[in-house]
Amino acid sequence: MHGNRGTYRIGGRLTCVLAAAILGLPLPRVAFAQRVDDNVITNANDAFGQSVGNERVGLYGTDDVRGFNPVDAGNARIEGLYFAPVDRLPNRLTRGSRVRVGIAAMGYAFPAPTGIVDFDLSASADADQFTVGLERAQFGSVLGSVDSNFAVGNDLRVYLGGTVRRQNRHEGGNFKSWIASGGLAWRPYAGASVIAFWGRTRTYDDEAAPAIFPGGDYLPPQIKRREMIGQSWSDRDNTHQIYGALAKLPLGDWRVEAGLFRAERRVDSNFTDIFANLRPDGTVANRVMVVDGNNIDRTLSGEAKVVRTFADGPLAHRLTFSFRGRTGDRRFGGVQRISLGPSSLNFADERPRPTIALGVDDTDDSSQGTLGLSYSLTRPGRFLIDAAIAGSRYSKTIRFVSAGLVTSNRDRPVTGSLTASYTISPSFSLYGGYVRGFEEVSVAPQNATNRGAVPPAIRTRQTDLGFRYAVTKNLSLVAGVFEITKPYYNLDDQLLYRDLGSSSNRGVEVSLTGTVRPGLSVVLGNVLIDSRISGELVDEGRIGPRPVGTIRRRSIANADWRLGGGKSPLSFDIAVESLSARVGNPLNSLYAPPREMIDLGMRYRFPIGSKRALLRLQLANVFDDYGWQVASNGAFQYSVGRRVLAELRFDL
């Protein structure tokens, strides 16, 4: 058995290397915790956001849902259970995620206005897997990885995974990182599971890329891609760790679910290279390096739920009692701002490393506990009604040590939701809902005078209404309208991060997904968003009516065509994304131009002995589109250029 497995690995590697050599491509990679048959386009239920391994598709992602960040808002889940992240989860720890918003949130016991991102753990998979990979990917990056999931008993499985990477960035420079993760999954009886997991990521030697802020109503000059114009000594170094356990135990008509998670991020050193008031020729009067370090962000969070289901004739009832809680402990601040004087984006303007002398740290301690009750009434094939109410106790205390200032906030919000869907015919149904939430606010950005500060949590609300129509048995159309309102936090004209008024995101979203004909699957989506700000600064003309970094439209078109009516080993795929102009400054007098990007790919499935394998090639950004991304604080960064990706997957 072991000899055969070695043969399969060598054969797969040789096939992969030969294909790369023939086509003149980088060495392929073995995908992270993905199977040969995994394909995010063919698996997508809608166009609102889904990931499988390292493949993603949809209008929204983990950091952008209807114009807001659901993870920053505290709306993240692990296997359906609440947790409070401090950073992105290690990509080896999870095997996929789904954005729950609109119709995708129907039936979810406690929805949230900014949407919910639900992650699936790699340790929860129930199939054997052993995958080893090497990668030579974009811009000469190299990577080695191992992924395994195997049984050690009738009821117990083990997951182990790891990655070592040297990544060359599209802005020039590079970084090194490694990931280690593991987990145990115990299934004591049918339908029950107990999972414990751990993941750790270390990223270091990561030179800071420039944060560009135009000084007027003009775009930055086009910078040569892959040109290193940062400082070689601006190496960022951080470590992220998360571990925890969860249990899901059906007990007749009852079900108990519980999870407890610990997350920690340590930033030993951090640099932000700021080109503020950039001139049209790419020069600045004063380039500033913001140095930070010795920061810690820790959370302990979890949820316990008791679910009772029962039937009454054709009606199905579900009661859910939930307790969610978290504590947060942050150490931030101590920032040193170093003036580098006049500088330029047009060449590598290397400066001697200055003396680093950080100040004292500020502290941020928070806690929240929430009791909730949800009731669901369903008549299969006819209607679904969900109602929920929750009460929270929230506290936050921030100590600005150097200023001798302490700010505290206490709140006891009551939140709730009422959502419903009604089936008019087997092919047509309506859905809608109203949700009130209580959410966190993103921390003050790197160019803020109160960098790293975290405002108190805010009250939010969402209304949406739409329909689902089965165009055919395998093709589904979803369309809806929504409105989300919440307080608006951003930089004022003095670069102070604070409450600037209220924001409202109104939009229309459309999704068409499924199989058009045997072998041809599509994911098509479009969202139109009207983002508005109101408040004193808008009335006075000091800021514009639209938030910085927002767009009016995003359109996607993805198709996967497998030849032979879906039975051929060969398939081709295409991904098209089109973005409208993006707001580039607080006055709304500057916009980053619209962008269109096209990716082309192919998959070839073939046997290695008795096993199955997949060779996947992709040409991303086919026409080498050069565009500008704009962060919510107004920082410009150019887009990634054309690149070739390749990977090999095989199931052992």
Side-chain angles (χ1 to χ4, degrees):
M1 177 67 71
H2 297 292
N4 290 339
R5 287 195 174 187
T7 302
Y8 300 149
R9 286 195 293 271
I10 295 171
R13 185 73 56 202
L14 181 59
T15 302
C16 189
V17 171
L18 287 175
I22 292 170
L23 297 173
L25 301 176
L27 285 177
R29 66 185 175 186
V30 176
F32 302 149
Q34 285 183 269
R35 296 284 174 181
V36 166
D37 293 331
D38 286 347
N39 184 326
V40 72
I41 295 177
T42 59
N43 291 341
N45 301 308
D46 51 53
F48 299 133
Q50 193 167 337
S51 71
V52 176
N54 59 351
E55 297 181 27
R56 289 169 174 78
V57 71
L59 293 168
Y60 308 128
T62 58
D63 57 356
D64 183 5
V65 176
R66 293 177 171 176
F68 298 109
N69 190 318
V71 175
D72 284 351
N75 299 330
R77 305 288 185 268
I78 292 180
E79 302 277 348
L81 294 167
Y82 168 81
F83 87 110
V86 296
D87 204 342
R88 292 186 176 185
L89 292 181
N91 60 358
R92 308 311 303 274
L93 190 65
T94 63
R95 55 192 172 98
S97 65
R98 186 179 179 193
V99 174
R100 296 189 176 274
V101 67
I103 198 168
M106 292 292 114
Y108 211 81
F110 299 96
T114 310
I116 289 173
V117 178
D118 201 352
F119 295 92
D120 294 323
L121 292 170
S122 296
S124 67
D126 57 3
D128 288 346
Q129 180 177 10
F130 184 77
T131 309
V132 176
L134 294 173
E135 175 184 356
R136 182 175 173 83
Q138 61 185 35
F139 316 127
S141 302
V142 292
L143 176 149
S145 66
V146 62
D147 226 323
S148 62
N149 195 315
F150 53 91
V152 293
N154 293 333
D155 307 322
L156 186 64
R157 301 189 65 83
V158 174
Y159 167 77
L160 295 171
T163 297
V164 178
R165 176 195 300 266
R166 177 189 170 89
Q167 180 74 33
N168 295 327
R169 296 199 317 263
H170 73 280
E171 319 97 321
N174 59 72
F175 67 85
K176 305 178 184 68
S177 69
W178 56 261
I179 298 172
S181 61
L184 291 172
W186 177 44
R187 306 187 188 281
Y189 57 90
S193 63
V194 179
I195 300 172
F197 66 90
W198 170 84
R200 187 181 181 93
T201 301
R202 167 87 188 283
T203 302
Y204 57 101
D205 288 348
D206 182 15
E207 297 97 346
I212 304 168
F213 299 87
D217 299 340
Y218 47 81
L219 296 173
Q222 186 165 313
I223 305 168
K224 184 179 179 181
R225 282 180 167 130
R226 296 287 302 131
E227 190 79 20
M228 175 58 183
I229 53 179
Q231 299 297 312
S232 61
W233 43 266
S234 62
D235 290 330
R236 295 171 292 190
D237 189 336
N238 68 82
T239 303
H240 174 223
Q241 177 173 264
I242 179 171
Y243 56 90
L246 59 90
K248 297 185 177 183
L249 306 173
L251 305 168
D253 292 336
W254 296 82
R255 183 178 180 87
V256 176
E257 300 183 3
L260 185 64
F261 314 108
R262 177 70 167 178
E264 179 179 297
R265 183 172 189 259
R266 292 179 177 269
V267 180
D268 293 325
S269 65
N270 192 36
F271 294 82
T272 305
D273 194 355
I274 298 179
F275 284 73
N277 294 314
L278 185 80
R279 303 182 182 112
D281 62 358
T283 63
V284 291
N286 185 28
R287 179 178 181 178
V288 175
M289 185 70 74
V290 179
V291 188
D292 199 0
N294 304 320
N295 293 340
I296 302 175
D297 192 354
R298 295 176 289 215
T299 63
L300 178 65
S301 60
E303 181 177 15
K305 294 192 292 189
V306 178
V307 183
R308 171 76 161 93
T309 57
F310 55 96
D312 179 15
L315 301 178
H317 305 263
R318 184 189 67 200
L319 280 171
T320 303
F321 303 89
S322 168
F323 173 74
R324 298 196 303 267
R326 69 171 181 85
T327 61
D329 169 22
R330 294 180 65 242
R331 299 294 179 268
F332 68 100
V335 171
Q336 180 184 5
R337 297 177 183 271
I338 300 173
S339 174
L340 300 181
S343 188
S344 174
L345 285 173
N346 301 316
F347 55 88
D349 186 11
E350 181 73 14
R351 305 296 179 86
R353 178 183 174 90
T355 301
I356 306 298
L358 299 177
V360 295
D361 285 339
D362 303 319
T363 66
D364 171 9
D365 299 294
S366 62
S367 66
Q368 181 176 341
T370 301
L371 281 172
L373 172 64
S374 170
Y375 170 69
S376 176
L377 176 64
T378 307
R379 181 169 181 173
R382 182 56 64 184
F383 65 82
L384 164 67
I385 300 174
D386 269 309
I389 188 170
S392 300
R393 299 187 66 172
Y394 170 84
S395 68
K396 177 185 285 289
T397 300
I398 301 178
R399 297 175 175 85
F400 297 98
V401 178
S402 58
L405 176 66
V406 178
T407 63
S408 297
N409 180 260
R410 303 284 187 274
D411 207 344
R412 293 190 177 185
V414 176
T415 59
S417 63
L418 178 62
T419 61
S421 64
Y422 182 74
T423 302
I424 296 176
S425 71
S427 61
F428 187 79
S429 59
L430 299 173
Y431 72 90
Y434 177 78
V435 182
R436 292 182 64 89
F438 186 67
E439 301 178 347
E440 291 288 340
V441 179
S442 301
V443 301
Q446 65 268 21
N447 60 322
T449 55
N450 56 339
R451 169 192 167 107
V454 182
I458 57 175
R459 286 168 166 78
T460 61
R461 65 179 184 270
Q462 172 187 278
T463 305
D464 62 345
L465 177 67
F467 69 87
R468 181 196 291 271
Y469 174 62
V471 180
T472 67
K473 181 181 178 181
N474 300 310
L475 188 64
S476 179
L477 172 69
V478 177
V481 296
F482 61 86
E483 180 179 19
I484 303 173
T485 59
K486 58 174 65 180
Y488 177 64
Y489 277 81
N490 212 323
L491 302 175
D492 63 16
D493 48 7
Q494 301 300 314
L495 297 183
L496 181 68
Y497 187 70
R498 64 183 181 89
D499 186 353
L500 300 182
S502 63
S503 66
S504 172
N505 280 14
R506 298 177 180 176
V508 179
E509 55 193 11
V510 181
S511 161
L512 180 65
T513 56
T515 303
V516 177
R517 53 178 295 180
L520 179 59
S521 299
V522 298
V523 177
L524 310 176
N526 188 71
V527 59
L528 304 174
I529 300 181
D530 181 21
S531 300
R532 294 279 181 172
I533 313 168
S534 61
E536 180 180 343
L537 295 186
V538 176
D539 296 339
E540 296 174 354
R542 295 163 62 187
I543 63 173
R546 298 193 182 279
V548 177
T550 58
I551 57 176
R552 301 293 298 276
R553 177 190 55 81
R554 172 181 281 118
S555 305
I556 62 166
N558 298 267
D560 185 275
W561 177 36
R562 186 166 179 176
L563 282 62
K567 298 180 180 179
S568 170
L570 182 64
S571 65
F572 299 93
D573 57 86
I574 183 172
V576 180
E577 182 181 30
S578 175
L579 304 174
S580 67
R582 191 178 294 272
V583 179
N585 64 8
L587 288 174
N588 298 178
S589 57
L590 174 64
Y591 282 77
R595 297 173 54 203
E596 287 78 32
M597 290 153 291
I598 299 177
D599 301 338
L600 297 176
M602 62 81 68
R603 300 170 191 255
Y604 182 70
R605 304 154 182 86
F606 59 94
I608 302 179
S610 61
K611 308 301 180 180
R612 298 177 304 161
L614 171 77
L615 176 65
R616 173 158 167 74
L617 306 175
Q618 187 179 42
L619 179 63
N621 194 0
V622 173
F623 297 108
D624 202 24
D625 167 78
Y626 193 107
W628 292 100
Q629 302 169 351
V630 185
S632 61
N633 67 337
F636 278 66
Q637 185 179 70
Y638 63 81
S639 60
V640 185
R642 181 170 48 232
R643 59 207 182 277
V644 177
L645 307 173
E647 62 181 331
L648 174 72
R649 304 178 203 160
F650 56 96
D651 294 338
L652 296 182

